[in-house]
Amino acid sequence: MRNYLDFEAPIKELNEQIQKLKDSAVKTGVNVENAVQELEKALIAKTEDLYKNMDPWQRVQLSRHPDRPYALEYIEAMTEGTWIELHGDRTVKDDKAMIGGFGLLNGESVMFIGQQKGANTKMRQYRNFGMANPEGYRKALRLMRLAEKFNKPIVTLIDTPGAFPGLEAEERGQGEAIARNLFEMMRLKVPVICIIIGEGASGGALGIGIGDRVLMMENTWYSVISPESCSSILWRSWDYKVTAASALKLTAEDMKWNGLIDGIIREPLGGAHANHEQAISILKDVIQSTIADLRKNSNDELVKQRIEKFCAMGKYVEA
Amino acid sequence: MSWFKRMKKGITTQNQEKKEIPEGLWYQCPECKHVMTSDQHAENDWLCEKCDYHEKITSLNYFSILFDENQFSEVAAHLISGDPLEFTDTKAYKDRIKTTINKSGLKDALRVGFGNIEGEKAVVACMDFGFIGGSMGSVVGEKFARGVDKAIEENCPFICISKSGGARMMEAGFSLMQMAKTSAKLTQLADHQLPYVSFLTDPTTGGVTASFAMLGDINIAEPKALIGFAGPRVVKETIGKDLPEGFQSSEFVLEHGFLDYIVNRKELKQKLALSLKQMKAKS
């Protein structure tokens, strides 16, 4: 059973009609092929239309769509059974919200790191809703250094509602863990690609988000705060999340326009959740071509350009 | 300078019950309620003479404490905020900036000074909480960057005094990327083997904690400052319990291993100068 968001209602309706027709054909033996084709055409047109005119808040909802593929699904599918998950930060524990390990991408070894959300209630709790603790960021850094040691490219898949704001997270230095990653990722002497595959919330996302190419999938968001929290802080009410989503300029298009990311990855028609297989194959192609592209530079050049890129970010007035 | 100090106390006096005391002349410690004259308070580096309570002070106050004879030149003093996203919440960001500049007399939430500390050159960047809660937007990032450049140019240490609620939401993505930018600049400073001291004061939270404030070669703090990533209210909501006493205080953060030492403001200059001397790379 697919899940549908409110604004996906027309898609749901058409899908259900198609299913009904197909079911009745099986029962009655009547040929419904033409009718189904008509409806499928209508479905494509409707989906295109819906996705063309999406507002930022709808994008935010899509980024959290319960049917969206999560990091592990992408990684396992792209590496075709060659991914070995590596665990632990070597200091405190193994953070289940942050995963990492080598996998082969068409024969080449790549370090994949990502935030992992759970698909059902139990798994969501197990994954702490994709909110990493300091040990998650430290595990990520350990694995990135491992990749650097053997000159393997690094790909991070970002999907988090934020770094975990818990008591123990504070005790173990959440701020320091993220800060350390920002500093060290700047200097990693291997190609680093960071991809927002769902939610890119603030420092929790940035903590694995320093790369030579930072890319956003089409239906994701990336900003300093979630629209809900922004609404509650600036408007002192939870009712302005739609307005906040627009104001924050958090969509892939806006972030690209402002020069804060390097590119957008198109999703299949109807979003990644509508066609996992195609979303995975698109992502794999992008990663492979981006690695090939980055490998044209020396690792020292990559570091230099990476630092220069982030240093150039910001808009101010020389009064 | 005394003119400035009195202005500051006049503005921040908020306690309605204190109306019988002429504004600006007296200071009452919010901790122990001890009363002293504002001049005494300022001469005591804005500490309560009785309980050592560290009053929040401005960048100019810190510069007056740190720089020899209060002599310094400002770096990138002319930068002010644009409005890159044309952001409007209950008020247009552009107007908020204008009003804050007029009210506070500050250009943004960071001031960078270059001068001598006990005879040795140093660049000091210092945040001003009075400018939109010391929040970090593009101007803070760029001034920090130019401060680092100045330190590299002068071959001297870089010190940053943090006092911030975190990122400036009205600059959204730009604000977030200042965390990346300031960290990137610190890698350049490190490449030149120049010391970076992060001095955390009350309060230091959010994106500032999760970037340059925690990246010092040594991290030091004032006593009893609030230091954390998530604010105490958010942590409380997350765990659904009251927070233990002293949670996220300097002493707590020191105990958990993220600070090198806590220093009383009276001993700040001397101890900082000594730390800088100890770290100065052998040529």
Side-chain angles (χ1 to χ4, degrees), chain B residues 104-117:
Chain B
S104 66
L106 299 163
K107 292 253 175 67
D108 211 291
L110 188 78
R111 193 193 300 270
V112 182
F114 169 65
N116 285 330
I117 298 175

Side-chain angles (χ1 to χ4, degrees), chain A residues 310-311 313-314 316, chain B residues 141-142 145 177-185:
Chain A
F310 284 99
C311 284
M313 288 182 186
Y316 45 86
Chain B
E142 182 62 17
M177 292 310 157
Q178 302 314 303
M179 294 170 64
K181 177 172 177 167
T182 50
S183 305
K185 291 307 291 187

Side-chain angles (χ1 to χ4, degrees), chain B residues 24-84:
Chain B
L25 286 180
W26 297 92
Y27 171 81
Q28 185 180 33
C29 171
E31 273 295 298
C32 74
K33 309 296 175 208
H34 177 72
V35 176
M36 53 203 283
T37 71
S38 291
D39 285 347
Q40 283 172 327
H41 187 234
E43 266 160 42
N44 202 36
D45 292 339
W46 300 274
L47 304 185
C48 172
E49 59 190 3
K50 203 172 158 203
C51 76
D52 252 3
Y53 172 77
H54 284 54
E55 185 56 81
K56 284 191 183 68
I57 56 173
T58 67
S59 55
L60 287 178
N61 297 152
Y62 276 112
F63 286 0
S64 75
I65 292 171
L66 284 177
F67 286 123
D68 297 349
E69 280 91 48
N70 198 15
Q71 293 290 307
F72 61 91
S73 57
E74 263 198 71
V75 178
H78 55 290
L79 297 188
I80 57 170
S81 274
D83 180 13

Side-chain angles (χ1 to χ4, degrees), chain A residues 181-197:
Chain A
N181 281 17
L182 305 186
F183 185 88
E184 296 299 340
M185 285 184 83
M186 287 290 170
R187 317 202 275 186
L188 287 169
K189 289 189 175 180
V190 282
V192 185
I193 303 166
C194 307
I195 302 168
I196 321 284
I197 58 165

Side-chain angles (χ1 to χ4, degrees), chain B residues 200-204 221-228 246-251 253:
Chain B
L200 295 84
T201 69
D202 186 56
T204 299
E222 281 191 347
K224 293 183 182 163
L226 172 73
I227 299 167
F247 180 66
Q248 294 185 317
S249 65
S250 310
E251 294 72 18
V253 180

Side-chain angles (χ1 to χ4, degrees), chain A residues 56-96:
Chain A
W57 173 244
Q58 288 171 331
R59 295 266 185 221
V60 172
Q61 289 174 284
L62 277 178
S63 76
R64 303 167 177 166
H65 199 293
D67 294 340
R68 243 185 121 73
Y70 296 137
L72 257 178
E73 182 179 343
Y74 281 116
I75 297 169
E76 283 174 346
M78 288 190 297
T79 56
E80 297 166 347
T82 65
W83 143 269
I84 298 179
E85 188 175 351
L86 304 173
H87 294 273
D89 74 335
R90 296 296 186 270
T91 306
V92 181
K93 59 159 77 153
D94 184 46
D95 192 331
K96 304 294 188 282

Side-chain angles (χ1 to χ4, degrees), chain B residues 115-170:
Chain B
N116 285 330
I117 298 175
E118 295 200 348
E120 296 280 343
K121 288 188 292 185
V123 174
V124 182
C126 183
M127 303 194 82
D128 275 299
F129 199 74
F131 199 96
I132 318 186
S135 56
M136 170 160 64
S138 298
V139 173
V140 169
E142 182 62 17
K143 280 188 160 184
F144 187 98
R146 295 197 193 179
V148 169
D149 288 340
K150 179 78 177 169
I152 292 171
E153 190 190 311
E154 297 286 345
N155 197 37
C156 72
F158 181 74
I159 296 126
C160 184
I161 306 174
S162 294
K163 187 185 280 296
S164 169
R168 189 172 300 167
M169 267 173 281
M170 298 77 130

